[in-house]
Amino acid sequence: MTSFAAKVFCRVERLCHHLPVALNTFLVFSITGEVSYLVLVEAPLEADQKKTVWSAWWKVVHLLAQYFMLGNICWNALLFLKTSPSIRGVFLGGEGMGQGWRYCYTCETHTPPRCSHCYDCKVCVLRRDHHCVFFGQCVGFRNYRYFLSCLLFMWSGLLYATLMNAEVFIVILKEGVTVHSVLLLLIPWIMLVSGQVSARAFAFAFIADTCVVGFLLVSAFFFFHLFLLFRGQTTREWYSSRRPYSLGLLGNLRHTLGTRWYLCWLSPLIPSAVPGDGIHFEVTGSLEPYR
């Protein structure tokens, strides 16, 4: 009985681990599909413009921009999940050991400064920032670039989707701010279950609400991490107001995003830097590679 309960618990834990990723994937593709429908079917609103050359080019440009952002979100998220931020595969020890090193009794190894153990990932993470519940993985030195790029394109994509859904809010509120329109925007699920609105109206209201709420949340995360990037801090260091590893603005950008930091935003396929320099700084704390 105990063995069966342990197996059930492990399966539930595994399901809960992947649930945020599945939910985020569903929301991203739902928003993309809804915005594509708005571009292809609903816009432009004027009937005499729907079959013009301008309308065709307008739709092509919007779809290209939309799927460029979607591709970058998915590819950066995939690389973030596939890139382990742990200390596995990194040589720790030798002459580089010095002040600030600690011994992790769980992993049974010495760890450099800024490295800490994650009890969710069950491993020590190199320059651990935080454990991201939305991805189910820690944000550390090796995958921070993909995390930040994913946030950038999620922010720009949600801004674009919110602007495209402005017409949805206009249609819902066209007869004024009524109890029906307010409830449709605030609790669309209740309105659908109670039979007050159609499935089509619910879908548009739900996705429009999701775009606004998602944009606000992602904006907070993105600009906070951009602030930390400029200061050369992790989230853990920000709590303690320490900046012992700041290399200056340009040095922080090169250290986190690579020597091609000005290009890496365009695509995750663009090589970032020589990884040895970054690992050397993280493990030894020497600033020499960036001077």
Side-chain angles (χ1 to χ4, degrees):
M1 186 66 182
T2 305
S3 177
F4 175 75
K7 291 181 179 179
V8 171
F9 177 78
C10 289
R11 291 184 179 180
V12 172
E13 184 182 23
R14 193 178 299 114
L15 177 64
C16 293
H17 178 77
H18 295 290
L19 187 60
V21 178
L23 180 60
N24 288 331
T25 304
F26 171 75
L27 290 176
V28 166
F29 280 93
S30 296
I31 293 172
T32 303
E34 188 256 3
V35 175
S36 297
Y37 175 83
L38 292 176
V39 170
L40 292 172
V41 179
E42 299 294 334
L45 298 177
E46 293 77 10
D48 59 338
Q49 295 180 346
K50 286 186 178 291
K51 295 184 179 180
T52 62
V53 175
W54 178 87
S55 173
W57 277 107
W58 183 90
K59 292 179 179 180
V60 169
V61 170
H62 274 267
L63 289 175
L64 286 176
Q66 179 182 336
Y67 285 98
F68 172 75
M69 290 184 285
L70 175 65
N72 271 284
I73 291 172
C74 295
W75 197 246
N76 278 293
L78 181 62
L79 289 176
F80 173 82
L81 292 172
K82 291 182 65 178
T83 305
S84 173
S86 71
I87 60 175
R88 292 171 183 151
V90 179
F91 174 73
L92 302 174
E95 298 179 356
M97 292 180 59
Q99 185 177 5
W101 282 67
R102 292 175 295 180
Y103 187 81
C104 177
Y105 289 93
T106 305
C107 296
E108 297 182 345
T109 184
H110 290 90
T111 59
R114 311 182 91 184
C115 180
S116 63
H117 189 85
C118 176
Y119 290 96
D120 293 306
C121 298
K122 299 178 177 60
V123 72
C124 284
V125 176
L126 196 62
R127 204 194 72 180
R128 181 172 179 262
D129 189 275
H130 69 283
H131 184 85
C132 181
V133 295
F134 297 105
F135 285 108
Q137 180 167 286
C138 269
V139 180
F141 171 70
R142 292 200 249 187
N143 61 3
Y144 193 81
R145 170 201 170 177
Y146 304 124
F147 172 76
L148 201 61
S149 296
C150 189
L151 278 182
L152 168 66
F153 284 102
M154 287 181 68
W155 177 82
S156 58
L158 284 168
L159 174 62
Y160 170 78
T162 301
L163 295 175
M164 291 298 296
N165 274 279
E167 186 64 28
V168 175
F169 292 105
I170 293 174
V171 170
I172 293 175
L173 300 173
K174 66 180 179 179
E175 296 180 358
V177 182
T178 62
V179 175
H180 182 274
S181 61
V182 171
L183 291 178
L184 177 57
L185 290 175
L186 295 179
I187 48 174
W189 283 101
I190 303 296
M191 298 293 284
L192 176 67
V193 173
S194 62
Q196 299 296 316
V197 296
S198 63
R200 184 174 185 272
F202 160 77
F204 278 111
F206 175 74
I207 292 179
D209 289 345
T210 303
C211 290
V212 174
V213 175
F215 173 71
L216 295 175
L217 290 175
V218 172
S219 294
F221 282 120
F222 175 61
F223 287 109
F224 174 67
H225 280 281
L226 207 60
F227 168 76
L228 294 180
L229 170 64
F230 292 158
R231 289 170 58 88
Q233 285 180 308
T234 64
T235 301
R236 293 163 54 85
E237 292 165 354
W238 177 77
Y239 284 129
S240 59
S241 302
R242 296 185 298 114
R243 297 179 58 188
Y245 299 98
S246 179
L247 304 171
L249 178 59
L250 183 59
N252 293 333
L253 289 171
R254 293 179 59 200
H255 172 56
T256 304
L257 303 176
T259 53
R260 299 180 181 178
W261 58 270
Y262 46 86
L263 293 176
C264 72
W265 305 96
L266 298 176
S267 171
L269 298 177
I270 296 177
S272 57
V274 180
D277 287 350
I279 293 293
H280 172 78
F281 174 69
E282 285 303 323
V283 173
T284 66
S286 172
L287 308 183
E288 190 62 33
Y290 297 95
R291 287 177 178 168

